[in-house]
Amino acid sequence: MSKALDGVRILDFTHVQSGPTCTQLLAWLGADVIKVERPGEGDATRAQLRDVADADSLYFTMLNHNKRSLTLDTKDPIGKEVLETLIRYCDVLVENFAPGALDRMGFTWQRINELNPRMIVASVKGFGPGPYEDCKVYENVAQCAGGAASTTGFDDGPPMVTGAQIGDSGTGLHLALGIVAALYQRNSTGHGQKVLAPMQDAVLNLCRVKLRDQQRLERTGTMHEYPQYPDGKFGEAVPRAGNASGGGQPGSILKCKGWETDPNAYIYFITQGAVWPAVCKVIGEEGWITDEAFKTPAARLLHLKPIFARIEQWTMTKTKFEAMDILNKYDIPCGPILSMKEIAQEPSLRETGTIVEVDHPTRGKYLTVGNPIKLSDSPTEVTRSPLLGEHTEEVLAQLGYNAEQVALMRAKKVI
């Protein structure tokens, strides 16, 4: 069975996380991704956070599945010639260098377009055009600049970043969509184009509901679904909302049985209006169904703290999974707080390919995240990440270089 992106060739000049997230997704979808790395060194993450001596780190392996590795010194004249050949050979060049690095290598958009008018050049940058476009950006900087940190955490504490890599991996996912769109448009135009995904923009896109709330706050001066209502005060900017849902349906994280010793013995519980009578029956407060202080969503907004305190009395008598079983029978929206250990051990995630076990020649077996996008006619097979330079000779042969030329490059340490 063919893959969705069979025949698409990706020239991968990415490193660390944002770019490799993008190219790994394209590789999962069937593209031939050729990762270009420095001879003898490779992607910096091969050695970062290493847990097995002399083996590629999990940081690297989990971001570079299904790819081929080519080592190449692009500063050497022969290396530059090889790179020009690769540009003619491939459909997309993906990079997340520091601003201006590609130009300094001599491969401006104009030069690339001369070599291959159909080439799509896709870039991750920290910021788009503006006062900060030349700044270097990392994950947490992107979360802060994109509005996530200022709206995360509790109101009586400092801004907080999230463990979800919305700056790096989130931007990589956005860039992958842009690349696929550019490939589709090329079918009709015959021309490539530049695709840019600034990290600040990607984080803001994922925080759009907070931009929604900023405008609501400016118009009304208050937001009833935030925990600051009705007793607290609102300032000029969207505040941190703790664990409130933020979607108009009040929600909170509540303790479950075992919370004293298990830091993840909690459940997220939403008091959706449509199931309010069921909530009251489950927790033994049927009188609240008709009580004027509780029977409507608007009335309940004035009493959310005592409501969730009473629900928590019930959840503390159940494990998070017992509570889930009961609540799901009544269609009450809820979800357990799952630790990474619980996720890694969940059989259903293995069956769907969301968690995959991969065997690596130097580090042995390890778990990784599989393709989160499931296509019915294009299933994903997750293959291990490449060893440094593992496919150099294979790729060069496909580009037309003979054994003698490859040997010369090796002698000159170009590859």
Side-chain angles (χ1 to χ4, degrees), residues 36-348:
V36 180
E37 302 185 75
R38 290 172 295 181
E41 298 180 46
D43 190 316
T45 58
R46 284 186 183 269
Q48 282 185 346
L49 306 177
R50 182 176 276 159
D51 60 310
V52 177
D54 300 321
D56 290 331
S57 71
L58 288 168
Y59 196 4
F60 176 84
T61 60
M62 293 177 70
L63 286 161
N64 291 282
H65 293 108
N66 296 56
K67 302 179 184 180
R68 298 195 287 169
S69 173
L70 163 76
T71 51
L72 185 66
D73 181 1
T74 57
K75 294 179 180 179
D76 185 280
I78 298 176
K80 282 195 172 183
E81 289 180 13
V82 174
L83 180 52
E84 290 183 354
T85 305
L86 280 165
I87 290 172
R88 294 188 187 98
Y89 177 77
C90 292
D91 300 285
V92 185
L93 186 156
V94 189
E95 59 92 14
N96 61 334
F97 291 128
L102 205 58
D103 290 354
R104 291 191 293 273
M105 289 169 59
F107 290 93
T108 62
W109 165 246
Q110 290 76 15
R111 177 56 181 152
I112 292 171
N113 200 241
E114 288 172 3
L115 293 167
N116 183 355
R118 292 174 57 82
M119 172 67 78
I120 293 160
V121 177
S123 305
V124 170
K125 293 292 176 276
F127 295 93
Y132 305 116
E133 63 182 307
D134 293 328
C135 295
K136 190 181 243 185
V137 172
Y138 288 90
E139 170 67 44
N140 288 353
V141 175
Q143 289 194 30
C144 293
S150 71
T151 57
T152 302
F154 289 90
D155 196 40
D156 58 354
M160 293 286 288
V161 296
T162 173
Q165 304 289 281
I166 60 176
D168 276 326
S169 288
T171 303
L173 296 174
H174 282 83
L175 187 66
L177 176 59
I179 290 169
V180 172
L183 284 168
Y184 182 82
Q185 188 172 23
R186 193 181 69 174
N187 291 334
S188 57
T189 66
H191 298 290
Q193 61 182 297
K194 292 188 286 184
V195 180
L196 173 65
M199 296 172 73
Q200 181 187 42
D201 297 29
V203 172
L204 177 58
N205 186 42
L206 297 173
C207 294
R208 67 174 68 193
V209 296
K210 299 301 182 180
L211 184 59
R212 170 204 69 189
D213 289 348
Q214 179 64 37
Q215 296 170 85
R216 294 172 56 228
L217 178 62
E218 291 173 357
R219 184 166 289 112
T220 66
T222 185
M223 290 181 291
H224 294 179
E225 76 283 0
Y226 274 62
Q228 288 80 359
Y229 177 85
D231 304 319
K233 294 182 179 180
F234 288 88
E236 295 181 346
V238 173
R240 291 180 275 286
N243 290 317
S245 169
Q249 305 288 348
S252 186
I253 290 180
L254 307 178
K255 297 172 183 174
C256 292
K257 182 189 287 187
W259 68 272
E260 298 92 341
T261 56
D262 181 356
N264 295 298
Y266 290 83
I267 193 170
Y268 198 90
F269 193 110
I270 298 176
T271 57
Q272 185 183 29
V275 295
W276 176 246
V279 172
C280 296
K281 291 176 183 177
V282 166
I283 67 172
E285 295 288 353
E286 294 188 37
W288 284 2
I289 298 173
T290 56
D291 189 322
E292 292 295 331
F294 299 102
K295 74 176 187 178
T296 67
R300 290 194 292 276
L301 288 173
L302 298 170
H303 309 287
L304 286 180
K305 290 179 182 177
I307 286 173
F308 280 119
R310 175 64 186 91
I311 297 172
E312 189 172 58
Q313 290 178 5
W314 178 83
T315 59
M316 288 172 64
T317 67
K318 307 284 187 291
T319 69
K320 59 190 177 186
F321 299 111
E322 291 170 345
M324 278 283 293
D325 290 341
I326 295 169
L327 297 172
N328 281 330
K329 292 176 183 177
Y330 295 92
D331 290 330
I332 297 171
C334 60
I337 308 304
L338 295 179
S339 68
M340 280 297 150
K341 182 176 181 179
E342 289 170 318
I343 288 172
Q345 295 174 346
E346 172 55 48
S348 66

